[in-house]
Amino acid sequence: VLAPDGSTVALGPLLAGVEVGLKRAAGRPLPTLEPPVDALYAVTITEALGTSFLLARDSDSHRATLGPGGCWDDVNDPQNYTLLGPPSPIPDAVANGAIDGVLLGAHLAQAPVPLADLLRAYYGTGNGTEKGRPPSSYRRRDFGVLTGPGKLEEEVAVMLRVLRVLPPTQELLEDVGPEEAADIARRAARDFTEVYVECPAIVPRCMWGARPYRGTPKPLTLPLDSVYIHHTFIPSAPCRTFAACARDMRAMQRFHQDTRGWDDIGYSFVVGSDGYVYHGRGWHWVGAHTKGYNSKGYGVGYVGDFSAALPDPDTIALVRDELLPCAVRTGRLHWNYTLRGHRQMGHTDCPGNSLFREIETWHGFK
């Protein structure tokens, strides 16, 4: 299903987590396995995660272990969802459903509430009002806090021992010794955490309704050395919902293509105040954001005019603490990158006085 925050959620792991939470709250027994597993993680993520990494063991296999994302045919009337690449057992929608299943299951186990109320509150649809960001837009942060650094690895390791005796998966583990099983659990937990907890969610172009690129994009040579921070100025108001941010992205792309005559929206990435990063030119293609320096760095634009005000603290952190460290870890940005405001590279007030003073405190600012 397409959630109101613009994310796509698989219902299987979500409802499985809810069921475990409700059973715990009611004191009803859950199936016992040997070795003992945490049922909440088992039904949401660890069985799928363990199986995915087992299937990819063969060194000749280029099988994906996580992802991909996907897009709906029409976000106003979603009927068909299409993956953006070869599927793994854990495409992004399953990861979102699993994370939500863990969070909502844990919540229900502690404080049972009617299911409709829980879902409306979590996905931000209560009474049809918009009261800031819905809790679902914080799923990655909250899952990281709840699960902690070692819990996921520990649960995948236990699940691999269970899968060893279950008929559908016995064959996958026939020649897997204890050390390799421990290594699989470690890699599975590490990769899942990096992709779905430490890195921010990036809304693909087809979800915000991008027009096609005009011409042939020029590839970047990675890793890059620089990041340039912008504000959009127009739109001047921060966008706080998926619908508003997607609308702003389309408006900026139209302006950049039709008025400026550029091939595409200029920014590499655009940051909404809804908790999401929006894919512009992306990680691999030269943008049109910082004249004379487009091939040297990524251009990251905040939606809004930040001359006199700052983005929300969470929106600042989305780039400072998530997007940039993620870019370094994934080899897209040098570890000793340089960060600058647009005004340092040309005649402009961008990214606004308030945001410029803020980025002066960030790692890498020169």
Side-chain angles (χ1 to χ4, degrees), residues 53-340:
F53 278 75
L54 283 171
L55 290 169
R57 272 179 70 232
D58 181 1
S59 58
D60 296 331
S61 166
H62 297 291
R63 181 192 291 268
T65 51
L66 299 169
C71 284
W72 291 93
D73 49 352
D74 180 346
V75 296
N76 296 311
D77 181 26
Q79 300 293 321
N80 298 299
Y81 181 73
T82 304
L83 293 176
L84 294 174
S88 75
I90 309 175
D92 288 4
V94 170
N96 287 337
I99 291 172
D100 291 352
V102 169
L103 294 173
L104 296 179
H107 180 80
L108 284 168
Q110 298 297 319
V113 295
L115 192 53
D117 294 347
L118 177 81
L119 295 174
R120 285 195 187 103
Y122 183 71
Y123 291 111
T125 57
N127 301 322
T129 57
E130 293 291 352
K131 296 182 179 177
R133 286 175 57 180
S136 59
S137 72
Y138 292 101
R139 63 168 62 86
R140 294 180 177 219
R141 182 200 69 182
D142 292 348
F143 181 82
V145 171
L146 179 69
T147 305
K151 172 73 169 172
L152 191 58
E153 180 183 335
E154 180 185 314
E155 290 301 325
V156 174
V158 175
M159 178 51 67
L160 289 173
R161 287 158 64 193
V162 173
L163 294 177
R164 200 180 282 280
V165 298
L166 294 179
T169 46
Q170 272 177 327
E171 280 184 30
L172 291 175
L173 283 137
E174 275 178 351
D175 59 344
V176 178
E179 283 186 14
E180 188 180 2
D183 183 58
I184 289 171
R186 189 160 45 249
R187 276 188 292 117
R190 180 198 66 207
D191 289 6
F192 185 87
T193 300
E194 182 177 275
V195 173
Y196 294 115
V197 179
E198 294 172 349
C199 286
I202 297 177
V203 177
R205 292 168 61 89
C206 47
M207 275 298 287
W208 59 262
R211 293 172 170 180
Y213 189 96
R214 291 177 180 167
T216 305
K218 297 182 181 67
L220 291 165
T221 303
L222 305 185
L224 299 185
D225 294 315
S226 299
V227 177
Y228 308 110
I229 301 296
H230 301 248
H231 70 165
T232 62
F233 190 65
I234 298 172
S236 60
C239 60
R240 300 191 179 279
T241 66
F242 164 68
C245 292
R247 195 163 52 241
D248 287 347
M249 291 295 291
R250 293 191 295 273
M252 285 187 282
Q253 187 187 38
R254 278 197 305 274
F255 174 67
H256 289 176
Q257 286 186 323
D258 298 348
T259 305
R260 291 275 172 88
W262 298 346
D263 292 334
D264 196 5
I265 190 170
Y267 305 110
S268 307
F269 297 99
V270 179
V271 188
S273 294
D274 62 337
Y276 294 96
V277 175
Y278 287 74
H279 188 289
R281 302 275 181 116
W283 295 118
H284 299 289
W285 306 110
V286 175
H289 45 78
T290 312
K291 191 173 182 181
Y293 301 92
N294 290 315
S295 63
K296 301 181 188 307
Y298 293 116
V300 179
Y302 278 91
V303 177
D305 175 1
F306 297 108
S307 304
L310 275 174
D312 302 333
D314 289 340
T315 308
I316 290 171
L318 194 60
V319 175
R320 183 192 62 205
D321 302 339
E322 296 178 45
L323 183 68
L324 298 183
C326 172
V328 171
R329 279 193 305 272
T330 53
R332 288 142 172 168
L333 193 61
H334 273 297
W335 66 271
N336 60 343
Y337 67 86
T338 297
L339 181 131
R340 292 188 172 96

